[in-house]
């Protein structure tokens, strides 16, 4: 730290992204990326746009927003796009949290919520998940706080039903509820339609997972017009050109190719089922996941040891070194052949260890 760094960040611990190693070629099952390339339409539109990079991008994301409005079934002024969903999540912390509206979220969830709260000097409460890693809906009913819930949750993969989400939103009409749906396309039901009924609901989504565009950085939020205006006030105070031309074009192409998106989501869900069964047959406990990853443990083998063995054999998964999570590994669902290699490697490791 330099002697110039502002003291307001004294207690800030930045987010630790998953490893992106360059030392050798790994099977990467550690950052919940898609194993499939972006839609050919997305690639083609991005290529066309490359020749126009001398011009600023459209701050209103006009064409992308029009298409998204149609796909999501909302009005154009009920959507905002961002540089990854991380950015619009940060905008939500900036716009809807302060001393009078502290943040509240589960103790085990997406690690960035805590960072955004700290970055913006916002007080926050972490509510412990239940013993079985589920969210107790009762903990979020009638709160006078800004609520952040990842649904499905990460890294557990567990899902709250739309009825449970509505219960939380309906009981908090005087404060904002942000539902982060990064993984909703792998079997969950989106809360976007509820934004018509509740002006205190903001739904956040991303093109990083189900639409294979993690490297393009494209996220969005959907909510009533007034909430989107608030987020735009923040956006136009931070970075009006937050979505670059190639990403905006790729996003449009991705939305135009609904078949490709649905086929890939179905493939991931089928491979998730197969992977879950294979792990269970080898003695693993696997939480029921509605995401593109599984959260699993094998009694008698510490998560860290398994992570290290897998890494030595060229497979990267995610291990969280915190007391409640330390037994577990979060394993991204890759392609069928990647998961075949993963399962065979786990078999070998179990034979070596046991
Ligand atoms: N929310 C959750 C729950 C996530 O796991 C992630 C991915 N790390 C994000 C949001 C952010 O995704 P992105 O910024 O790539 O849209």
């Amino acid at each position: 730290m330099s002697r110039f760094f502002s003291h307001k960040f004294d207690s800030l611990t930045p987010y630790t992204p998953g490893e992106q190693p360059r030392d050798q070629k790994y099977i990467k099952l550690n950052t919940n990326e898609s194993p499939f390339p972006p839609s050919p339409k997305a690639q083609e539109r991005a290529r066309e746009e490359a020749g126009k990079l001398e011009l600023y991008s459209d701050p209103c994301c006009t064409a992308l927003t029009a298409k998204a409005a149609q796909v999501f079934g909302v009005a154009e002024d009920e959507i905002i796009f961002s540089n990854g969903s991380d950015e619009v999540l940060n905008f939500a912390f900036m716009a809807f949290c302060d001393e009078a509206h502290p943040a509240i979220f589960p103790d085990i969830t997406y690690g960035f919520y805590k960072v955004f709260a700290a970055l913006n000097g916002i007080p926050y409460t972490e509510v412990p998940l239940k013993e079985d890693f589920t969210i107790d809906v009762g903990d979020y009913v009638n709160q006078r706080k800004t609520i952040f819930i990842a649904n499905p949750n990460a890294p557990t993969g567990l899902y709250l039903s739309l009825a449970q989400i509505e219960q939380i939103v309906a009981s908090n009409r005087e404060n904002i509820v942000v539902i982060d749906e990064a993984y909703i396309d792998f079997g969950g039901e989106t809360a976007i339609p509820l934004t018509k009924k509740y002006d205190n609901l903001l739904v956040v989504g991303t093109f990083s997972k189900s639409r294979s565009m993690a490297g393009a950085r494209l996220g969005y939020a959907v909510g009533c017009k007034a909430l989107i205006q608030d987020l735009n006030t923040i956006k136009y105070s931070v970075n009006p050109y937050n979505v670059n031309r190639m990403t905006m074009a790729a996003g449009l192409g991705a939305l135009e190719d609904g078949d490709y998106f649905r086929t890939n989501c179905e493939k991931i869900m089928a491979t998730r089922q197969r992977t879950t069964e294979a792990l269970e047959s080898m003695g693993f406990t696997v939480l029921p996941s509605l995401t593109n990853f599984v959260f699993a443990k094998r009694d008698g083998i510490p998560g860290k040891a398994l992570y290290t063995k897998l890494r030595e054999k060229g497979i990267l998964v995610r291990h969280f070194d915190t007391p409640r999570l330390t037994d577990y590994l979060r394993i991204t669902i890759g392609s069928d052949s990647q998961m075949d290699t993963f399962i065979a490697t786990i078999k070998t490791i179990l034979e070596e260890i046991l």
Side-chain angles (χ1 to χ4, degrees):
M1 192 200 303
S2 82
R3 65 187 196 280
F4 306 107
F5 196 41
S6 169
H7 286 302
K8 69 178 183 257
F9 297 125
D10 277 351
S11 62
L12 182 64
T13 310
Y15 179 72
T16 314
E19 296 168 86
Q20 304 286 0
R22 314 257 178 265
D23 57 334
Q24 69 171 80
K25 211 164 160 39
Y26 288 95
I27 293 186
K28 254 187 110 278
L29 307 177
N30 67 328
T31 45
N32 299 339
E33 289 143 327
S34 172
F36 309 117
S39 148
K41 279 197 186 164
Q43 296 186 42
E44 188 189 316
R45 283 204 174 270
R47 265 194 304 273
E48 282 167 16
E49 207 62 18
K52 302 179 201 156
L53 288 179
E54 75 279 15
L55 301 174
Y56 282 110
S57 60
D58 170 11
C60 302
C61 302
T62 311
L64 176 61
T65 304
K67 182 67 191 171
Q70 186 197 333
V71 171
F72 298 149
V74 297
E76 291 174 27
D77 55 12
E78 293 169 338
I79 307 179
I80 179 173
F81 278 96
S82 58
N83 191 319
S85 58
D86 283 338
E87 186 184 52
V88 80
L89 284 166
N90 187 34
F91 289 172
F93 274 88
M94 293 170 83
F96 304 123
C97 301
D98 52 32
E99 290 285 334
H101 307 88
I104 182 168
F105 40 81
D107 63 339
I108 296 170
T109 189
Y110 184 35
F112 232 136
Y113 302 158
K114 214 171 16 182
V115 179
F116 288 140
L119 177 68
N120 294 299
I122 295 159
Y124 62 92
T125 309
E126 294 175 277
V127 183
L129 291 182
K130 289 198 278 187
E131 203 49 45
D132 62 0
F133 289 120
T134 56
I135 288 174
D136 187 341
V137 171
D139 288 338
Y140 298 91
V141 165
N142 279 325
Q143 287 289 335
R144 296 205 168 273
K145 296 187 170 118
T146 304
I147 298 171
F148 290 82
I149 290 182
N151 193 43
N153 198 11
T156 61
L158 299 176
Y159 171 72
L160 290 179
S161 70
L162 206 50
Q164 289 173 303
I165 295 292
E166 182 161 10
Q167 195 189 339
I168 293 170
V169 177
S171 72
N172 283 285
R173 296 311 303 267
E174 295 311 311
N175 45 274
I176 298 288
V177 180
V178 178
I179 303 297
D180 175 355
E181 295 192 341
Y183 302 102
I184 199 69
D185 297 323
F186 303 103
E189 192 178 357
T190 177
I192 286 178
L194 293 180
T195 59
K196 303 261 175 226
K197 198 165 156 193
Y198 297 99
D199 66 356
N200 60 319
L201 170 63
L202 188 75
V203 177
V204 171
T206 181
F207 281 49
S208 292
K209 322 288 177 184
S210 53
R211 296 186 193 268
S212 304
M213 283 178 47
R217 314 304 300 127
L218 187 62
Y220 58 88
V222 178
C224 72
K225 185 176 167 183
L227 291 190
I228 299 304
Q229 268 172 352
D230 294 342
L231 292 171
N232 270 314
T233 300
I234 304 289
K235 163 180 151 156
Y236 282 88
S237 307
V238 176
N239 184 9
Y241 307 109
N242 60 339
V243 180
N244 73 70
R245 277 184 170 269
M246 289 174 73
T247 294
M248 210 182 293
L252 177 58
L255 289 177
E256 286 167 343
D257 201 350
D259 287 347
Y260 183 81
F261 156 74
R262 279 183 290 278
T263 305
N264 285 346
C265 290
E266 275 160 24
K267 279 193 211 162
I268 294 288
M269 288 188 275
T271 310
R272 178 180 72 205
Q273 178 65 21
R274 205 166 60 77
T275 305
T276 301
E277 286 164 12
L279 285 170
E280 284 173 347
S281 76
M282 292 187 283
F284 279 79
T285 304
V286 185
L287 300 194
S289 167
L290 281 190
T291 63
N292 67 338
F293 57 85
V294 288
F295 201 52
K297 69 167 178 177
R298 174 71 161 69
D299 281 340
I301 309 179
K304 185 76 183 276
L306 205 47
Y307 159 84
T308 308
K309 288 260 173 213
L310 281 165
R311 199 175 201 288
E312 283 164 13
K313 294 179 191 299
I315 299 180
L316 278 186
V317 297
R318 186 96 194 242
H319 176 252
F320 299 89
D321 217 350
T322 61
R324 273 184 83 187
L325 305 183
T326 192
D327 290 345
Y328 285 82
L329 294 181
R330 192 196 67 190
I331 303 144
T332 302
I333 302 298
S335 65
D336 270 325
S337 84
Q338 285 178 323
M339 298 324 279
D340 285 345
T341 307
F342 167 75
I343 291 159
T345 308
I346 289 276
K347 248 187 208 131
T348 310
I349 292 171
L350 291 188
E351 280 160 15
E352 282 171 12
I353 292 183
L354 300 175

